[in-house]
Amino acid sequence: DSILVDPWFLDARRRAGVVDNRGDTLSIDADVVLQSGDAVMFRDRTGRAWGPVALAGQNSPRELRLDPAARAAAEQGTGKTLAGVLSDGRGEMTTVLVGPLVALAENYLIQSVKMSGPDKAQVEALIDDPRVWEAIGAAIVVPPEGAGGLSDPESPRIVALTANATPVAAGF
């Protein structure tokens, strides 16, 4: 099966702790000067990544204003509210990483999928190299959502996936 992967990563170069928040405005413990296109990634109470959330600006280097629509989208996508991510004062301060989002887009061919726990899977995929399609004179076809014969309403729709990529050398 073919999939389109639209991976992104936060090119985080600045880190701070969240001291307090007032709605979508975060007070932080370090000076962070925002640049155009910056976003923030949180580490929740359990150490898991939450976000990214676009930033709407700041009034000072010790303040970050979250974009309300981006925060709402992160809450909806994860099922966890910002309040549930931020430290409740009984543990370590919530950490934020700030930097620009870098997006990539590539087609992959799935070779195998093996479950390795209740919420983990090992997915082996190959980059769907466009040179192969050029060599055989065919167009690259990106399958539409729901392709592959899965019409079962209970089949999973993966909105977000956190992965560790392990490159394997292959030739053309």
PDB file of all heavy atoms in Angstrom, residues 87-126:
ATOM      1  N   SER A  87       1.895  21.948  34.152  1.00  0.00           N
ATOM      2  CA  SER A  87       2.147  21.435  35.493  1.00  0.00           C
ATOM      3  C   SER A  87       1.081  21.932  36.456  1.00  0.00           C
ATOM      4  O   SER A  87       0.656  23.088  36.392  1.00  0.00           O
ATOM      5  CB  SER A  87       3.529  21.885  35.966  1.00  0.00           C
ATOM      6  OG  SER A  87       3.726  21.520  37.314  1.00  0.00           O
ATOM      7  N   ASP A  88       0.672  21.069  37.371  1.00  0.00           N
ATOM      8  CA  ASP A  88      -0.311  21.459  38.377  1.00  0.00           C
ATOM      9  C   ASP A  88       0.369  21.962  39.655  1.00  0.00           C
ATOM     10  O   ASP A  88      -0.277  22.155  40.673  1.00  0.00           O
ATOM     11  CB  ASP A  88      -1.253  20.299  38.687  1.00  0.00           C
ATOM     12  CG  ASP A  88      -0.522  19.077  39.219  1.00  0.00           C
ATOM     13  OD1 ASP A  88       0.707  19.139  39.432  1.00  0.00           O
ATOM     14  OD2 ASP A  88      -1.186  18.044  39.422  1.00  0.00           O
ATOM     15  N   GLY A  89       1.679  22.155  39.612  1.00  0.00           N
ATOM     16  CA  GLY A  89       2.404  22.678  40.767  1.00  0.00           C
ATOM     17  C   GLY A  89       2.960  21.607  41.686  1.00  0.00           C
ATOM     18  O   GLY A  89       3.758  21.893  42.567  1.00  0.00           O
ATOM     19  N   ARG A  90       2.559  20.365  41.488  1.00  0.00           N
ATOM     20  CA  ARG A  90       3.049  19.283  42.340  1.00  0.00           C
ATOM     21  C   ARG A  90       4.285  18.609  41.768  1.00  0.00           C
ATOM     22  O   ARG A  90       4.945  17.851  42.456  1.00  0.00           O
ATOM     23  CB  ARG A  90       1.958  18.231  42.546  1.00  0.00           C
ATOM     24  CG  ARG A  90       0.801  18.762  43.373  1.00  0.00           C
ATOM     25  CD  ARG A  90      -0.226  17.702  43.593  1.00  0.00           C
ATOM     26  NE  ARG A  90      -0.970  17.513  42.341  1.00  0.00           N
ATOM     27  CZ  ARG A  90      -1.832  16.551  42.125  1.00  0.00           C
ATOM     28  NH1 ARG A  90      -2.062  15.638  43.030  1.00  0.00           N
ATOM     29  NH2 ARG A  90      -2.471  16.469  40.981  1.00  0.00           N
ATOM     30  N   GLY A  91       4.583  18.879  40.511  1.00  0.00           N
ATOM     31  CA  GLY A  91       5.722  18.249  39.857  1.00  0.00           C
ATOM     32  C   GLY A  91       6.627  19.290  39.234  1.00  0.00           C
ATOM     33  O   GLY A  91       6.591  20.467  39.587  1.00  0.00           O
ATOM     34  N   GLU A  92       7.432  18.829  38.309  1.00  0.00           N
ATOM     35  CA  GLU A  92       8.347  19.725  37.599  1.00  0.00           C
ATOM     36  C   GLU A  92       7.569  20.730  36.757  1.00  0.00           C
ATOM     37  O   GLU A  92       6.441  20.487  36.344  1.00  0.00           O
ATOM     38  CB  GLU A  92       9.257  18.907  36.678  1.00  0.00           C
ATOM     39  CG  GLU A  92      10.204  17.981  37.412  1.00  0.00           C
ATOM     40  CD  GLU A  92      11.298  18.736  38.145  1.00  0.00           C
ATOM     41  OE1 GLU A  92      11.783  19.761  37.618  1.00  0.00           O
ATOM     42  OE2 GLU A  92      11.655  18.306  39.250  1.00  0.00           O
ATOM     43  N   MET A  93       8.218  21.846  36.488  1.00  0.00           N
ATOM     44  CA  MET A  93       7.655  22.864  35.614  1.00  0.00           C
ATOM     45  C   MET A  93       7.496  22.289  34.202  1.00  0.00           C
ATOM     46  O   MET A  93       8.319  21.498  33.760  1.00  0.00           O
ATOM     47  CB  MET A  93       8.652  24.038  35.570  1.00  0.00           C
ATOM     48  CG  MET A  93       8.054  25.362  35.285  1.00  0.00           C
ATOM     49  SD  MET A  93       9.293  26.712  35.234  1.00  0.00           S
ATOM     50  CE  MET A  93      10.327  26.433  36.621  1.00  0.00           C
ATOM     51  N   THR A  94       6.450  22.674  33.501  1.00  0.00           N
ATOM     52  CA  THR A  94       6.253  22.255  32.111  1.00  0.00           C
ATOM     53  C   THR A  94       7.320  22.911  31.248  1.00  0.00           C
ATOM     54  O   THR A  94       7.577  24.113  31.366  1.00  0.00           O
ATOM     55  CB  THR A  94       4.860  22.666  31.613  1.00  0.00           C
ATOM     56  OG1 THR A  94       3.882  22.055  32.456  1.00  0.00           O
ATOM     57  CG2 THR A  94       4.630  22.233  30.176  1.00  0.00           C
ATOM     58  N   THR A  95       7.932  22.121  30.383  1.00  0.00           N
ATOM     59  CA  THR A  95       8.963  22.630  29.485  1.00  0.00           C
ATOM     60  C   THR A  95       8.354  22.920  28.119  1.00  0.00           C
ATOM     61  O   THR A  95       7.509  22.168  27.644  1.00  0.00           O
ATOM     62  CB  THR A  95      10.086  21.588  29.311  1.00  0.00           C
ATOM     63  OG1 THR A  95      10.626  21.296  30.586  1.00  0.00           O
ATOM     64  CG2 THR A  95      11.184  22.096  28.409  1.00  0.00           C
ATOM     65  N   VAL A  96       8.789  24.027  27.511  1.00  0.00           N
ATOM     66  CA  VAL A  96       8.378  24.342  26.145  1.00  0.00           C
ATOM     67  C   VAL A  96       9.625  24.476  25.276  1.00  0.00           C
ATOM     68  O   VAL A  96      10.664  24.946  25.727  1.00  0.00           O
ATOM     69  CB  VAL A  96       7.533  25.636  26.059  1.00  0.00           C
ATOM     70  CG1 VAL A  96       6.186  25.449  26.713  1.00  0.00           C
ATOM     71  CG2 VAL A  96       8.247  26.826  26.651  1.00  0.00           C
ATOM     72  N   LEU A  97       9.501  24.012  24.045  1.00  0.00           N
ATOM     73  CA  LEU A  97      10.531  24.189  23.029  1.00  0.00           C
ATOM     74  C   LEU A  97       9.964  25.144  21.992  1.00  0.00           C
ATOM     75  O   LEU A  97       8.813  24.974  21.565  1.00  0.00           O
ATOM     76  CB  LEU A  97      10.881  22.861  22.379  1.00  0.00           C
ATOM     77  CG  LEU A  97      11.409  21.776  23.320  1.00  0.00           C
ATOM     78  CD1 LEU A  97      11.571  20.459  22.569  1.00  0.00           C
ATOM     79  CD2 LEU A  97      12.724  22.199  23.928  1.00  0.00           C
ATOM     80  N   VAL A  98      10.746  26.121  21.591  1.00  0.00           N
ATOM     81  CA  VAL A  98      10.272  27.137  20.654  1.00  0.00           C
ATOM     82  C   VAL A  98      11.173  27.144  19.428  1.00  0.00           C
ATOM     83  O   VAL A  98      12.397  27.133  19.548  1.00  0.00           O
ATOM     84  CB  VAL A  98      10.274  28.538  21.303  1.00  0.00           C
ATOM     85  CG1 VAL A  98       9.812  29.594  20.313  1.00  0.00           C
ATOM     86  CG2 VAL A  98       9.423  28.555  22.561  1.00  0.00           C
ATOM     87  N   GLY A  99      10.562  27.130  18.255  1.00  0.00           N
ATOM     88  CA  GLY A  99      11.314  27.199  17.015  1.00  0.00           C
ATOM     89  C   GLY A  99      10.383  27.123  15.828  1.00  0.00           C
ATOM     90  O   GLY A  99       9.176  26.949  15.978  1.00  0.00           O
ATOM     91  N   PRO A 100      10.936  27.239  14.639  1.00  0.00           N
ATOM     92  CA  PRO A 100      10.100  27.158  13.435  1.00  0.00           C
ATOM     93  C   PRO A 100       9.720  25.712  13.123  1.00  0.00           C
ATOM     94  O   PRO A 100      10.474  24.780  13.434  1.00  0.00           O
ATOM     95  CB  PRO A 100      11.005  27.736  12.341  1.00  0.00           C
ATOM     96  CG  PRO A 100      12.390  27.481  12.829  1.00  0.00           C
ATOM     97  CD  PRO A 100      12.333  27.553  14.324  1.00  0.00           C
ATOM     98  N   LEU A 101       8.553  25.528  12.542  1.00  0.00           N
ATOM     99  CA  LEU A 101       8.146  24.205  12.072  1.00  0.00           C
ATOM    100  C   LEU A 101       8.757  23.976  10.706  1.00  0.00           C
ATOM    101  O   LEU A 101       8.723  24.846   9.852  1.00  0.00           O
ATOM    102  CB  LEU A 101       6.624  24.101  11.937  1.00  0.00           C
ATOM    103  CG  LEU A 101       5.842  23.937  13.222  1.00  0.00           C
ATOM    104  CD1 LEU A 101       4.349  23.889  12.908  1.00  0.00           C
ATOM    105  CD2 LEU A 101       6.251  22.700  13.967  1.00  0.00           C
ATOM    106  N   VAL A 102       9.318  22.810  10.526  1.00  0.00           N
ATOM    107  CA  VAL A 102       9.886  22.436   9.242  1.00  0.00           C
ATOM    108  C   VAL A 102       9.044  21.287   8.720  1.00  0.00           C
ATOM    109  O   VAL A 102       8.882  20.276   9.398  1.00  0.00           O
ATOM    110  CB  VAL A 102      11.366  22.019   9.386  1.00  0.00           C
ATOM    111  CG1 VAL A 102      11.929  21.590   8.050  1.00  0.00           C
ATOM    112  CG2 VAL A 102      12.179  23.161   9.966  1.00  0.00           C
ATOM    113  N   ALA A 103       8.448  21.438   7.546  1.00  0.00           N
ATOM    114  CA  ALA A 103       7.567  20.414   6.994  1.00  0.00           C
ATOM    115  C   ALA A 103       8.227  19.738   5.803  1.00  0.00           C
ATOM    116  O   ALA A 103       8.929  20.364   5.016  1.00  0.00           O
ATOM    117  CB  ALA A 103       6.239  21.025   6.564  1.00  0.00           C
ATOM    118  N   LEU A 104       7.991  18.454   5.693  1.00  0.00           N
ATOM    119  CA  LEU A 104       8.473  17.641   4.580  1.00  0.00           C
ATOM    120  C   LEU A 104       7.273  16.889   4.030  1.00  0.00           C
ATOM    121  O   LEU A 104       6.287  16.714   4.715  1.00  0.00           O
ATOM    122  CB  LEU A 104       9.519  16.630   5.078  1.00  0.00           C
ATOM    123  CG  LEU A 104      10.648  17.181   5.948  1.00  0.00           C
ATOM    124  CD1 LEU A 104      11.406  16.036   6.590  1.00  0.00           C
ATOM    125  CD2 LEU A 104      11.584  18.019   5.107  1.00  0.00           C
ATOM    126  N   ALA A 105       7.349  16.396   2.824  1.00  0.00           N
ATOM    127  CA  ALA A 105       6.269  15.566   2.285  1.00  0.00           C
ATOM    128  C   ALA A 105       6.874  14.558   1.328  1.00  0.00           C
ATOM    129  O   ALA A 105       7.571  14.941   0.382  1.00  0.00           O
ATOM    130  CB  ALA A 105       5.215  16.408   1.576  1.00  0.00           C
ATOM    131  N   GLU A 106       6.637  13.285   1.594  1.00  0.00           N
ATOM    132  CA  GLU A 106       7.152  12.222   0.741  1.00  0.00           C
ATOM    133  C   GLU A 106       6.137  11.095   0.659  1.00  0.00           C
ATOM    134  O   GLU A 106       5.377  10.867   1.600  1.00  0.00           O
ATOM    135  CB  GLU A 106       8.468  11.661   1.300  1.00  0.00           C
ATOM    136  CG  GLU A 106       9.619  12.648   1.248  1.00  0.00           C
ATOM    137  CD  GLU A 106      10.922  12.019   1.685  1.00  0.00           C
ATOM    138  OE1 GLU A 106      11.042  11.688   2.862  1.00  0.00           O
ATOM    139  OE2 GLU A 106      11.806  11.869   0.822  1.00  0.00           O
ATOM    140  N   ASN A 107       6.153  10.394  -0.459  1.00  0.00           N
ATOM    141  CA  ASN A 107       5.341   9.195  -0.606  1.00  0.00           C
ATOM    142  C   ASN A 107       6.166   7.990  -0.179  1.00  0.00           C
ATOM    143  O   ASN A 107       7.358   7.904  -0.472  1.00  0.00           O
ATOM    144  CB  ASN A 107       4.900   9.007  -2.060  1.00  0.00           C
ATOM    145  CG  ASN A 107       3.907  10.054  -2.486  1.00  0.00           C
ATOM    146  OD1 ASN A 107       3.087  10.489  -1.693  1.00  0.00           O
ATOM    147  ND2 ASN A 107       3.975  10.467  -3.732  1.00  0.00           N
ATOM    148  N   TYR A 108       5.530   7.068   0.519  1.00  0.00           N
ATOM    149  CA  TYR A 108       6.183   5.844   0.972  1.00  0.00           C
ATOM    150  C   TYR A 108       5.367   4.638   0.542  1.00  0.00           C
ATOM    151  O   TYR A 108       4.154   4.715   0.383  1.00  0.00           O
ATOM    152  CB  TYR A 108       6.295   5.821   2.505  1.00  0.00           C
ATOM    153  CG  TYR A 108       7.303   6.799   3.049  1.00  0.00           C
ATOM    154  CD1 TYR A 108       6.977   8.132   3.240  1.00  0.00           C
ATOM    155  CD2 TYR A 108       8.589   6.386   3.377  1.00  0.00           C
ATOM    156  CE1 TYR A 108       7.908   9.028   3.736  1.00  0.00           C
ATOM    157  CE2 TYR A 108       9.519   7.279   3.879  1.00  0.00           C
ATOM    158  CZ  TYR A 108       9.173   8.598   4.055  1.00  0.00           C
ATOM    159  OH  TYR A 108      10.085   9.484   4.543  1.00  0.00           O
ATOM    160  N   LEU A 109       6.040   3.511   0.386  1.00  0.00           N
ATOM    161  CA  LEU A 109       5.391   2.232   0.132  1.00  0.00           C
ATOM    162  C   LEU A 109       5.544   1.398   1.398  1.00  0.00           C
ATOM    163  O   LEU A 109       6.665   1.136   1.848  1.00  0.00           O
ATOM    164  CB  LEU A 109       6.029   1.513  -1.056  1.00  0.00           C
ATOM    165  CG  LEU A 109       5.910   2.234  -2.399  1.00  0.00           C
ATOM    166  CD1 LEU A 109       6.732   1.519  -3.459  1.00  0.00           C
ATOM    167  CD2 LEU A 109       4.455   2.334  -2.820  1.00  0.00           C
ATOM    168  N   ILE A 110       4.434   0.979   1.969  1.00  0.00           N
ATOM    169  CA  ILE A 110       4.453   0.188   3.205  1.00  0.00           C
ATOM    170  C   ILE A 110       4.846  -1.243   2.864  1.00  0.00           C
ATOM    171  O   ILE A 110       4.234  -1.881   2.011  1.00  0.00           O
ATOM    172  CB  ILE A 110       3.078   0.206   3.898  1.00  0.00           C
ATOM    173  CG1 ILE A 110       2.676   1.635   4.261  1.00  0.00           C
ATOM    174  CG2 ILE A 110       3.073  -0.692   5.132  1.00  0.00           C
ATOM    175  CD1 ILE A 110       3.591   2.323   5.217  1.00  0.00           C
ATOM    176  N   GLN A 111       5.879  -1.733   3.535  1.00  0.00           N
ATOM    177  CA  GLN A 111       6.339  -3.108   3.340  1.00  0.00           C
ATOM    178  C   GLN A 111       5.725  -4.048   4.365  1.00  0.00           C
ATOM    179  O   GLN A 111       5.327  -5.155   4.037  1.00  0.00           O
ATOM    180  CB  GLN A 111       7.873  -3.182   3.429  1.00  0.00           C
ATOM    181  CG  GLN A 111       8.571  -2.341   2.382  1.00  0.00           C
ATOM    182  CD  GLN A 111       8.254  -2.811   0.976  1.00  0.00           C
ATOM    183  OE1 GLN A 111       8.567  -3.926   0.606  1.00  0.00           O
ATOM    184  NE2 GLN A 111       7.611  -1.964   0.197  1.00  0.00           N
ATOM    185  N   SER A 112       5.684  -3.608   5.641  1.00  0.00           N
ATOM    186  CA  SER A 112       5.093  -4.445   6.690  1.00  0.00           C
ATOM    187  C   SER A 112       4.733  -3.584   7.892  1.00  0.00           C
ATOM    188  O   SER A 112       5.286  -2.505   8.091  1.00  0.00           O
ATOM    189  CB  SER A 112       6.069  -5.543   7.124  1.00  0.00           C
ATOM    190  OG  SER A 112       7.194  -4.982   7.780  1.00  0.00           O
ATOM    191  N   VAL A 113       3.799  -4.101   8.679  1.00  0.00           N
ATOM    192  CA  VAL A 113       3.395  -3.465   9.932  1.00  0.00           C
ATOM    193  C   VAL A 113       3.286  -4.573  10.966  1.00  0.00           C
ATOM    194  O   VAL A 113       2.605  -5.576  10.746  1.00  0.00           O
ATOM    195  CB  VAL A 113       2.030  -2.741   9.809  1.00  0.00           C
ATOM    196  CG1 VAL A 113       1.611  -2.149  11.146  1.00  0.00           C
ATOM    197  CG2 VAL A 113       2.078  -1.683   8.733  1.00  0.00           C
ATOM    198  N   LYS A 114       3.985  -4.401  12.096  1.00  0.00           N
ATOM    199  CA  LYS A 114       3.944  -5.386  13.185  1.00  0.00           C
ATOM    200  C   LYS A 114       3.649  -4.647  14.480  1.00  0.00           C
ATOM    201  O   LYS A 114       4.335  -3.690  14.822  1.00  0.00           O
ATOM    202  CB  LYS A 114       5.296  -6.093  13.324  1.00  0.00           C
ATOM    203  CG  LYS A 114       5.684  -6.928  12.138  1.00  0.00           C
ATOM    204  CD  LYS A 114       7.061  -7.526  12.351  1.00  0.00           C
ATOM    205  CE  LYS A 114       7.549  -8.117  11.038  1.00  0.00           C
ATOM    206  NZ  LYS A 114       8.971  -8.356  11.026  1.00  0.00           N
ATOM    207  N   MET A 115       2.619  -5.095  15.188  1.00  0.00           N
ATOM    208  CA  MET A 115       2.300  -4.485  16.483  1.00  0.00           C
ATOM    209  C   MET A 115       3.381  -4.882  17.480  1.00  0.00           C
ATOM    210  O   MET A 115       3.815  -6.030  17.511  1.00  0.00           O
ATOM    211  CB  MET A 115       0.933  -4.939  16.979  1.00  0.00           C
ATOM    212  CG  MET A 115      -0.233  -4.424  16.136  1.00  0.00           C
ATOM    213  SD  MET A 115      -0.277  -2.627  15.943  1.00  0.00           S
ATOM    214  CE  MET A 115      -0.574  -2.084  17.614  1.00  0.00           C
ATOM    215  N   SER A 116       3.814  -3.921  18.295  1.00  0.00           N
ATOM    216  CA  SER A 116       4.821  -4.206  19.316  1.00  0.00           C
ATOM    217  C   SER A 116       4.357  -3.671  20.665  1.00  0.00           C
ATOM    218  O   SER A 116       5.131  -3.157  21.443  1.00  0.00           O
ATOM    219  CB  SER A 116       6.178  -3.603  18.919  1.00  0.00           C
ATOM    220  OG  SER A 116       6.075  -2.210  18.755  1.00  0.00           O
ATOM    221  N   GLY A 117       3.089  -3.787  20.914  1.00  0.00           N
ATOM    222  CA  GLY A 117       2.478  -3.327  22.157  1.00  0.00           C
ATOM    223  C   GLY A 117       1.082  -2.833  21.871  1.00  0.00           C
ATOM    224  O   GLY A 117       0.656  -2.784  20.714  1.00  0.00           O
ATOM    225  N   PRO A 118       0.355  -2.463  22.918  1.00  0.00           N
ATOM    226  CA  PRO A 118      -1.031  -2.031  22.713  1.00  0.00           C
ATOM    227  C   PRO A 118      -1.163  -0.728  21.933  1.00  0.00           C
ATOM    228  O   PRO A 118      -2.170  -0.489  21.286  1.00  0.00           O
ATOM    229  CB  PRO A 118      -1.585  -1.874  24.134  1.00  0.00           C
ATOM    230  CG  PRO A 118      -0.382  -1.711  25.003  1.00  0.00           C
ATOM    231  CD  PRO A 118       0.734  -2.461  24.327  1.00  0.00           C
ATOM    232  N   ASP A 119      -0.132   0.122  21.972  1.00  0.00           N
ATOM    233  CA  ASP A 119      -0.219   1.394  21.259  1.00  0.00           C
ATOM    234  C   ASP A 119       1.033   1.693  20.453  1.00  0.00           C
ATOM    235  O   ASP A 119       1.317   2.837  20.136  1.00  0.00           O
ATOM    236  CB  ASP A 119      -0.517   2.537  22.236  1.00  0.00           C
ATOM    237  CG  ASP A 119       0.570   2.700  23.290  1.00  0.00           C
ATOM    238  OD1 ASP A 119       1.489   1.857  23.344  1.00  0.00           O
ATOM    239  OD2 ASP A 119       0.501   3.671  24.058  1.00  0.00           O
ATOM    240  N   LYS A 120       1.794   0.655  20.098  1.00  0.00           N
ATOM    241  CA  LYS A 120       2.999   0.837  19.300  1.00  0.00           C
ATOM    242  C   LYS A 120       3.017  -0.161  18.154  1.00  0.00           C
ATOM    243  O   LYS A 120       2.549  -1.286  18.290  1.00  0.00           O
ATOM    244  CB  LYS A 120       4.258   0.644  20.146  1.00  0.00           C
ATOM    245  CG  LYS A 120       4.473   1.730  21.161  1.00  0.00           C
ATOM    246  CD  LYS A 120       5.801   1.575  21.841  1.00  0.00           C
ATOM    247  CE  LYS A 120       6.001   2.722  22.817  1.00  0.00           C
ATOM    248  NZ  LYS A 120       7.282   2.642  23.483  1.00  0.00           N
ATOM    249  N   ALA A 121       3.563   0.277  17.037  1.00  0.00           N
ATOM    250  CA  ALA A 121       3.694  -0.598  15.873  1.00  0.00           C
ATOM    251  C   ALA A 121       5.018  -0.310  15.197  1.00  0.00           C
ATOM    252  O   ALA A 121       5.505   0.822  15.215  1.00  0.00           O
ATOM    253  CB  ALA A 121       2.551  -0.368  14.893  1.00  0.00           C
ATOM    254  N   GLN A 122       5.602  -1.337  14.613  1.00  0.00           N
ATOM    255  CA  GLN A 122       6.798  -1.170  13.797  1.00  0.00           C
ATOM    256  C   GLN A 122       6.338  -1.166  12.345  1.00  0.00           C
ATOM    257  O   GLN A 122       5.753  -2.133  11.876  1.00  0.00           O
ATOM    258  CB  GLN A 122       7.778  -2.309  14.038  1.00  0.00           C
ATOM    259  CG  GLN A 122       8.344  -2.327  15.436  1.00  0.00           C
ATOM    260  CD  GLN A 122       9.292  -3.497  15.644  1.00  0.00           C
ATOM    261  OE1 GLN A 122       9.552  -4.276  14.741  1.00  0.00           O
ATOM    262  NE2 GLN A 122       9.798  -3.602  16.851  1.00  0.00           N
ATOM    263  N   VAL A 123       6.595  -0.062  11.670  1.00  0.00           N
ATOM    264  CA  VAL A 123       6.178   0.083  10.281  1.00  0.00           C
ATOM    265  C   VAL A 123       7.435   0.131   9.422  1.00  0.00           C
ATOM    266  O   VAL A 123       8.311   0.960   9.643  1.00  0.00           O
ATOM    267  CB  VAL A 123       5.355   1.375  10.069  1.00  0.00           C
ATOM    268  CG1 VAL A 123       4.969   1.537   8.611  1.00  0.00           C
ATOM    269  CG2 VAL A 123       4.133   1.382  10.972  1.00  0.00           C
ATOM    270  N   GLU A 124       7.511  -0.781   8.467  1.00  0.00           N
ATOM    271  CA  GLU A 124       8.627  -0.770   7.527  1.00  0.00           C
ATOM    272  C   GLU A 124       8.113  -0.185   6.229  1.00  0.00           C
ATOM    273  O   GLU A 124       7.129  -0.666   5.657  1.00  0.00           O
ATOM    274  CB  GLU A 124       9.151  -2.182   7.300  1.00  0.00           C
ATOM    275  CG  GLU A 124      10.343  -2.229   6.385  1.00  0.00           C
ATOM    276  CD  GLU A 124      10.845  -3.648   6.138  1.00  0.00           C
ATOM    277  OE1 GLU A 124      10.448  -4.566   6.865  1.00  0.00           O
ATOM    278  OE2 GLU A 124      11.626  -3.821   5.190  1.00  0.00           O
ATOM    279  N   ALA A 125       8.762   0.886   5.779  1.00  0.00           N
ATOM    280  CA  ALA A 125       8.315   1.572   4.572  1.00  0.00           C
ATOM    281  C   ALA A 125       9.521   1.986   3.744  1.00  0.00           C
ATOM    282  O   ALA A 125      10.600   2.224   4.270  1.00  0.00           O
ATOM    283  CB  ALA A 125       7.490   2.798   4.936  1.00  0.00           C
ATOM    284  N   LEU A 126       9.309   2.061   2.450  1.00  0.00           N
ATOM    285  CA  LEU A 126      10.336   2.523   1.521  1.00  0.00           C
ATOM    286  C   LEU A 126       9.890   3.844   0.921  1.00  0.00           C
ATOM    287  O   LEU A 126       8.699   4.034   0.638  1.00  0.00           O
ATOM    288  CB  LEU A 126      10.532   1.514   0.386  1.00  0.00           C
ATOM    289  CG  LEU A 126      11.006   0.122   0.766  1.00  0.00           C
ATOM    290  CD1 LEU A 126      11.004  -0.772  -0.469  1.00  0.00           C
ATOM    291  CD2 LEU A 126      12.392   0.176   1.371  1.00  0.00           C
TER     292      LEU A 126
END
